[in-house]
Amino acid sequence: MDLLFVDFETFYDRKNKYDLRSISMTEYIRHTKFKVQGMGFQYNSEPTWLKEPGAFLKDNFDWSRTAVVAHNVKFDGAILSWKYGIKPQMYLDTQALARAVLGPSIDGYSLRRSAGYLGLEQKGELKTDGLAQLTVEQERTLSEYCLTDVRICKAIWDKLSPQFPQEQLWSMDWCARAFIGPKLVLDTGKLEKAVSDERIRRENAISSTGETKESLASNAKFAALVASRGYAVPTKTSHRTGKTIPAFSRTDAGLRELETLDPVLYAGRLAAKSSILETRGAKLAAISRTGPWPFDVQYSGAIQTHRYSGGSGAGGNPQNFPRVGPLRGAVRAPEGWQLVVGDFAQIEARLVAWLAQEPKLMAAFTQERDIYSEFASMVYGRTVTKQTDPKERMFGKTCILGLGYNMGWAKFQAKVKQDIGEAISEEEARRVVTLYRETYFNIPKLWKRAEALLPLLREGRRNAVPFAPFLKIGKESLVLPSGLRLLYPGLRVVSRKFRGNEFSNEWCYDHFIKRYESEQSKIYGGKLTENLCQAIAGDLCKLAIERAVKAGVDCVGQVHDEIIAVAPCGRAEEVAGTLKRCMEQSPPWLPTIRLKAEVGVGSNWSEAKNG
């Protein structure tokens, strides 16, 4: 295919909040104020500026053999499709490319940050804020700015694409198409009702406390309020500053403890702090009136593991939509179609079992037994079933999904509180952790094998990985079956500690958790196992989507371990069967693993997922 590097320049107005910082990309492009002020492109020649690109684009390119390349191609590709009706053969994204190749080594993936890191020419400054009509000089300045961006985009592609596995270009293109060619629609009525109901619920929860919203929302004032009611103020150490701060985040065990002590105050705190359902519902309702809903999937969005993540280009990150609630219920198939949703079952736990060659777990998964209930039965000393003991089974699920990555008793104790709202003692937490490790004894051995890889990664030795021969060792990296790399820049030993009867090394690597400042992150056998399993799960999901699409399934979105597709009403069950087969097919590089997918059909996302 021919590569066409493009960059659209459009009118924006920050003062009146018509810009990509204030509203989503979908709202911005579909707004009545939207206006293309010009476009730069490069195609086998020097970059060229077009003030009125429409006719030129339609008449001068064979779109059946052209790939459009842009930095955040969803924006430029959506303009090409939604405004000019142009649909190229493929979409390629240098922002996604930078995420995939550079990973945690860089402090951001904008064009400016990527250019600076790679030593390319400096990006200019945009000076057309609020200018709907441009003078000749303003247009000249804008064209120079645009053509610089085109040159930088091409330079990023030229520099990084040789380091990117070509087999992954299909997946990069699919992520862009999920946004640019939307198939799902939003139920305006359901969203408007959800916004109204949530507003009333929050107001009632706050007023029930007898306190002001400000006193409930402020950490300092809420700490004083908690103390004034005779409760201990929970604290934690900030991993950013090292200072002691109130532990009032939604997932903090201290705040969950308040739920038991004073449920009204707890509910008021949550209502004062979180308006996400209300604001997101309003945004989605607004988008629902403009057309189909673009599904925003970010290629290599999970920086460390390359798993897909969700973006906020269409009113909210779909990965953060609660599994229960009105948002998923408002996402539906178009008229005459149904949603088909496939969900990998226990995919990470299965990967842990197969990497460790843990016979008890492998047998349970192969025989499709209820492993959550089985382990819960061991914990409680009686038979636990899904039908009669849902809470105890949920405890078993927390164990199976959490303890496979060397979680200690304290984190496990907090995890149990978070997942099922139940406080367990230190003694009980220690007992359950020990029970897991002794029952599935090959899994602790896997952590040790993973930790033994760290010196090899530091030196870049090309040794085989005994427990995963489909992996390759590189310099400060592990190469996945997809060809993507798990990166551990600056991998090094930071201390030695005496554990058990021997000394062991503590390792760390550098990455950018927050922009412009690199931080140390610990890496150890359990954590490397977690990174590997999540990354391999991501590879399996990409592979399943590609298989399904090539088998005729119209896959339109993905979140976590779910694949979302649409099908004509008369063919939904047939499509569901095809999707299930594609998800459960073992990959050629791990042929013995037994994968399982639960696939449902419905008129909306909730119905299909829970049906």
Side-chain angles (χ1 to χ4, degrees):
M1 284 182 290
D2 298 321
L3 300 184
L4 176 65
F5 298 87
V6 304
D7 182 49
F8 278 96
E9 299 299 338
T10 59
F11 167 71
Y12 69 103
D13 185 357
R14 287 178 181 158
K15 181 180 178 181
N16 293 299
K17 298 191 179 301
Y18 174 64
D19 64 279
L20 291 170
R21 295 179 183 176
S22 303
I23 58 177
S24 70
M25 192 191 315
T26 302
E27 294 170 281
Y28 179 84
I29 297 174
R30 291 178 176 175
H31 202 283
T32 55
K33 292 182 179 180
F34 181 80
K35 179 182 180 181
V36 171
Q37 294 180 315
M39 186 198 82
F41 75 93
Q42 187 165 358
Y43 181 81
N44 298 329
S45 62
E46 290 299 308
T48 302
W49 168 260
L50 295 171
K51 183 178 180 180
E52 301 287 347
F56 183 89
L57 289 172
K58 290 179 179 179
D59 297 340
N60 287 274
F61 297 99
D62 180 357
W63 294 106
S64 66
R65 58 188 300 269
T66 299
V68 165
V69 189
H71 204 76
N72 191 8
V73 76
K74 294 170 187 172
F75 179 73
D76 303 274
I79 294 172
L80 282 170
S81 178
W82 302 353
K83 299 301 177 182
Y84 299 110
I86 292 172
K87 299 177 182 179
Q89 181 66 23
M90 180 171 268
Y91 299 98
L92 302 174
D93 191 341
T94 52
Q95 188 177 66
L97 180 65
R99 281 198 303 268
V101 175
L102 302 178
S105 305
I106 185 172
D107 57 1
Y109 306 95
S110 67
L111 200 66
R112 187 181 304 281
R113 288 277 139 198
S114 299
Y117 181 85
L118 296 171
L120 307 177
E121 68 176 298
Q122 187 175 355
K123 179 177 169 61
E125 297 291 340
L126 198 55
K127 300 177 181 179
T128 56
D129 186 1
L131 301 177
Q133 301 297 327
L134 304 180
T135 66
V136 173
E137 179 60 24
Q138 287 167 342
E139 185 189 335
R140 184 192 65 78
T141 301
L142 180 63
S143 69
E144 291 175 354
Y145 168 87
C146 178
L147 296 179
T148 298
D149 283 1
V150 173
R151 288 194 299 271
I152 294 173
C153 177
K154 185 176 186 303
I156 293 172
W157 178 264
D158 291 343
K159 203 154 191 172
L160 297 184
S161 61
Q163 303 173 53
F164 183 77
Q166 298 298 294
E167 296 81 3
Q168 286 293 296
L169 294 177
W170 188 96
S171 295
M172 182 186 286
D173 171 71
W174 178 82
C175 287
R177 290 182 183 277
F179 186 90
I180 296 166
K183 303 288 179 63
L184 301 174
V185 293
L186 297 170
D187 189 317
T188 308
K190 281 188 177 181
L191 289 167
E192 289 177 341
K193 184 178 186 304
V195 170
S196 176
D197 290 348
E198 176 65 5
R199 184 179 296 117
I200 293 169
R201 186 198 68 79
R202 290 181 62 233
E203 289 172 353
N204 289 341
I206 291 169
S207 65
S208 295
T209 67
E211 306 291 343
T212 65
K213 180 180 177 182
E214 182 185 10
S215 64
L216 294 167
S218 163
N219 279 351
K221 292 181 178 180
F222 188 66
L225 176 59
V226 168
S228 72
R229 295 198 178 191
Y231 307 130
V233 176
T235 60
K236 62 183 178 181
T237 300
S238 169
H239 77 279
R240 303 284 190 196
T241 66
K243 296 180 180 179
T244 300
I245 59 174
F248 288 144
S249 296
R250 189 183 189 104
T251 56
D252 285 335
L255 184 63
R256 292 298 300 268
E257 189 67 27
L258 184 63
E259 182 180 13
T260 303
L261 298 171
D262 195 331
V264 174
L265 187 61
Y266 172 80
R269 165 70 176 185
L270 295 188
K273 287 293 289 183
S274 178
S275 61
I276 189 167
L277 176 57
E278 191 176 327
T279 55
R280 183 176 289 164
K283 275 183 170 288
L284 292 170
I287 289 174
S288 73
R289 303 182 191 99
T290 67
W293 184 53
F295 207 103
D296 198 348
V297 183
Q298 299 283 352
Y299 183 87
S300 280
I303 301 304
Q304 191 60 42
T305 63
H306 299 287
R307 295 189 80 166
Y308 291 151
S309 70
S312 55
N317 181 350
Q319 285 205 349
N320 295 337
F321 287 13
R323 289 181 178 269
V324 177
L327 295 185
R328 286 192 174 206
V331 178
R332 60 181 180 83
E335 195 69 31
W337 294 69
Q338 285 186 292
L339 258 64
V340 178
V341 177
D343 190 0
F344 280 107
Q346 310 111 353
I347 187 168
E348 289 185 42
R350 290 168 187 266
L351 286 166
V352 170
W354 259 262
L355 290 179
Q357 288 294 287
E358 173 46 57
K360 296 185 185 72
L361 277 177
M362 293 170 71
F365 286 131
T366 299
Q367 297 165 17
E368 297 190 2
R369 305 201 309 262
D370 184 354
I371 189 62
Y372 302 152
S373 292
E374 285 191 11
F375 189 73
S377 298
M378 296 181 209
V379 171
Y380 292 101
R382 60 179 176 82
T383 300
V384 171
T385 69
K386 185 176 183 178
Q387 293 73 26
T388 60
D389 309 281
K391 191 170 185 178
E392 288 83 354
R393 182 180 182 274
M394 178 59 71
F395 186 92
K397 181 176 182 179
T398 297
C399 297
I400 294 295
L401 299 185
L403 296 178
Y405 298 139
N406 199 11
M407 182 183 289
W409 71 265
K411 286 187 177 179
F412 176 66
Q413 188 182 43
K415 181 67 172 170
V416 170
K417 181 68 174 176
Q418 177 185 332
D419 284 1
I420 64 176
E422 183 174 300
I424 61 173
S425 66
E426 175 183 337
E427 181 183 8
E428 178 66 1
R430 287 182 182 275
R431 183 184 76 84
V432 174
V433 169
T434 300
L435 177 64
Y436 177 91
R437 295 178 183 182
E438 291 180 348
T439 301
Y440 309 120
F441 52 85
N442 278 337
I443 291 177
K445 293 179 183 178
L446 172 64
W447 305 333
K448 290 185 177 180
R449 295 189 188 108
E451 190 146 345
L453 295 178
L454 294 174
L456 306 181
L457 298 184
R458 179 182 58 185
E459 298 170 17
R461 294 184 189 173
R462 298 193 175 277
N463 299 50
V465 178
F467 61 86
F470 49 83
L471 298 174
K472 297 177 182 178
I473 296 176
K475 178 65 175 174
E476 298 177 347
S477 66
L478 273 171
V479 185
L480 297 168
S482 61
L484 297 169
R485 291 175 179 267
L486 298 183
L487 298 173
Y488 299 94
L491 184 65
R492 61 195 179 276
V493 175
V494 289
S495 66
R496 287 173 62 81
K497 290 191 175 181
F498 192 73
R499 291 177 177 170
N501 298 318
E502 58 184 13
F503 281 97
S504 64
N505 293 329
E506 290 208 336
W507 294 79
C508 80
Y509 66 99
D510 297 321
H511 74 155
F512 287 88
I513 298 176
K514 58 182 180 180
R515 296 184 67 185
Y516 318 132
E517 185 178 334
S518 177
E519 297 186 9
Q520 289 187 6
S521 280
K522 289 183 180 180
I523 185 70
Y524 49 92
K527 187 65 177 178
L528 185 58
T529 301
E530 181 179 20
N531 287 172
L532 276 172
C533 290
Q534 290 181 348
I536 295 167
D539 274 6
L540 290 173
C541 193
K542 293 172 192 171
L543 186 59
I545 292 172
E546 186 171 359
R547 283 174 176 159
V549 170
K550 291 179 178 178
V553 178
D554 195 353
C555 296
V556 297
Q558 188 273 344
V559 297
H560 304 297
D561 300 323
E562 294 180 30
I563 299 173
I564 304 165
V566 292
C569 288
R571 294 188 56 237
E573 294 298 335
E574 173 193 343
V575 169
T578 302
L579 180 59
K580 183 177 176 67
R581 286 193 297 275
C582 292
M583 294 178 73
E584 293 184 342
Q585 183 179 344
S586 300
W589 36 267
L590 190 55
T592 62
I593 193 170
R594 290 293 297 270
L595 300 174
K596 180 176 175 58
E598 298 168 350
V599 183
V601 174
S603 60
N604 62 59
W605 190 357
S606 288
E607 188 178 293
K609 179 65 180 73
N610 300 319

